Amino acid sequence: MVAETKLYDALSVSPTANQDEIKKAYRKAALKNHPDKNKDDPSAGEKFKEVSQAYEILSDPEKRKVYDDYGLEFLLRGGAEAPPPGSGGPGGMPGGMPSGFAGMPAGFGGIPSIGGGGTRSFHFSTGGPGGGSGGFSFSNPDNIFADFFKQGGAGMGDDDDIFAQFTGGGGRSRGGRPGYRDSPNERRRRRAPTPEVTTVEKPLELTLEDLFTGTHKKMKIKRKTYDDGSGKRKMEDKILDMDIKPGYKAGTKIKFKGVGDQEEGGTTQDLHFIVKEKKHPTFTREDDNLRMYVELDLKEALTGWARTIPTIDGKKFTLSKGGPTGPGYTETYPHQGMPNSKKPTERGDMIVEVKVKFPTSLTLAQKTHLKDIL
């Protein structure tokens, strides 16, 4: 025997109803009395609130058991366990409600008794004044309705279409109404899922030597997540391991799925590192080729010169010319450039280009002498 039947009566079900019957009853009553469907009937909005709040308790096995054993007032006051022996209680316990539970605090709305549970009025708590520390507070009825359909409702195939009629097709519950207090769990449930995962791109600077040989990098990042207990954001450190293959070029993306900041709705950002080549003191990369420059003064360019040429992997070549050597002259060293990332055994070329530094001024004697020579 239950202490009272007010919530069951609100849904027009028996106290012995199972969860499927409770869901179907709520679905029928909520759709019938939804405010968007009855804009000219304020009483429908109150009925919608009553059936939603009744469903919130009866759909939760723990809350339903407390309600069945001790009644709604006991639940709203914060009762979670049976009163101590001798303190009295509903449902045949001597003395009625425990001390101080004789009536609901002022400011709570109510509906008349519906029968089956004595003569008290049926009061719904909304967390208003005098609600008692630690007591149960009803969620916003719009959010109860939204969660019901987003979780599959009563298992009927048209739930999504029906829910869209009351939410504008956006899949979100209507804005909260004044006077309702939402818990952190309620606020987390209301967060709308992000339609698409966000991708964040960050530069990854590497030397040509790293890109020539390949390397392994560990990257420490800070990411924002939601704390499951409080619903608040928190920061955490994460170490990412990445293998840099020989021959990677600037613009190559190294992708990590689901390691970035957690966003509202539960999705987590993807993180892409984009390779950026650090400026090299000797070489300029051109696809898989490497280019370097040798600067000659005019005398060397005309009469001959010699240079030691380094390679990216540490070898050295001697390059010399007897002259004259014009500006823009190039010497190519096959297979001394960068490896091909898709074919690591193949390499580009190393190209040595000559630049000639001309004097900024000449004396009349020097000009005459050059004319005689040339």
Side-chain angles (χ1 to χ4, degrees), residues 4-288:
E4 63 181 46
T5 63
K6 308 293 192 302
L7 299 183
Y8 294 104
D9 295 340
L11 291 175
S12 300
V13 296
S14 164
T16 60
N18 59 33
Q19 284 298 311
D20 284 342
E21 291 170 332
I22 289 172
K23 286 181 179 180
K24 289 178 181 178
Y26 170 64
R27 184 182 193 273
K28 179 180 178 181
L31 291 174
K32 178 181 177 181
N33 295 285
H34 196 283
D36 287 354
K37 198 174 181 180
N38 301 272
K39 295 181 180 179
D40 297 329
D41 184 3
S43 64
E46 285 302 311
K47 182 63 177 175
F48 174 75
K49 177 175 68 175
E50 292 161 10
V51 299
S52 295
Q53 293 176 336
Y55 173 75
E56 183 174 30
I57 289 179
L58 298 181
S59 64
D60 185 315
E62 293 182 4
K63 294 185 180 68
R64 182 180 180 181
K65 186 177 188 317
V66 174
Y67 170 73
D68 286 348
D69 290 345
Y70 306 110
L72 181 61
E73 293 185 56
F74 183 76
L75 180 64
L76 297 179
R77 293 282 188 172
E81 299 178 356
S87 63
M93 299 176 69
M97 292 295 288
S99 176
F101 283 29
M104 292 295 290
F108 283 18
I111 63 174
S113 174
I114 315 179
T119 59
R120 288 176 183 260
S121 294
F122 178 20
H123 294 277
F124 288 103
S125 165
T126 60
S133 174
F136 171 74
S137 295
F138 287 111
S139 302
N140 186 312
D142 288 320
N143 295 332
I144 298 171
F145 179 77
D147 286 346
F148 176 80
F149 279 93
K150 282 191 279 189
Q151 292 168 8
M156 300 181 183
D158 60 348
D159 283 350
D160 289 341
D161 292 338
I162 292 175
F163 180 53
Q165 296 175 18
F166 297 97
T167 61
R172 295 186 64 135
S173 63
R174 294 152 25 115
R177 296 181 181 179
Y180 290 92
R181 180 179 65 197
D182 292 337
S183 66
N185 286 339
E186 180 68 25
R187 288 192 294 271
R188 283 201 300 278
R189 287 199 303 271
R190 270 205 334 272
R191 290 189 185 110
T194 304
E196 295 182 0
V197 175
T198 303
T199 299
V200 177
E201 296 183 342
K202 294 181 178 292
L204 177 64
E205 291 195 342
L206 298 168
T207 65
L208 274 181
E209 285 79 6
D210 287 337
L211 296 172
F212 175 78
T213 61
T215 187
H216 181 82
K217 294 283 186 181
K218 286 183 177 290
M219 184 72 70
K220 182 178 180 180
I221 64 169
K222 289 188 178 292
R223 61 193 296 260
K224 297 176 184 177
T225 63
Y226 281 99
D227 182 84
D228 290 336
S230 65
K232 295 180 179 179
R233 297 205 95 176
K234 65 177 183 178
M235 297 292 294
E236 68 177 23
D237 293 335
K238 187 174 184 66
I239 303 297
L240 301 179
D241 289 277
M242 57 187 81
D243 289 315
I244 311 300
K245 294 182 180 180
Y248 270 1
K249 296 181 176 70
T252 299
K253 293 183 179 181
I254 302 170
K255 301 178 180 180
F256 291 89
K257 185 176 179 63
V259 301
D261 292 342
Q262 187 178 7
E263 299 176 321
E264 290 190 347
T267 59
T268 306
Q269 295 174 339
D270 291 346
L271 192 55
H272 292 180
F273 288 93
I274 302 179
V275 172
K276 182 179 179 181
E277 294 174 359
K278 290 183 178 179
K279 187 176 181 179
H280 196 276
T282 303
F283 298 107
T284 300
R285 185 172 182 175
E286 300 172 351
D287 198 13
D288 289 336

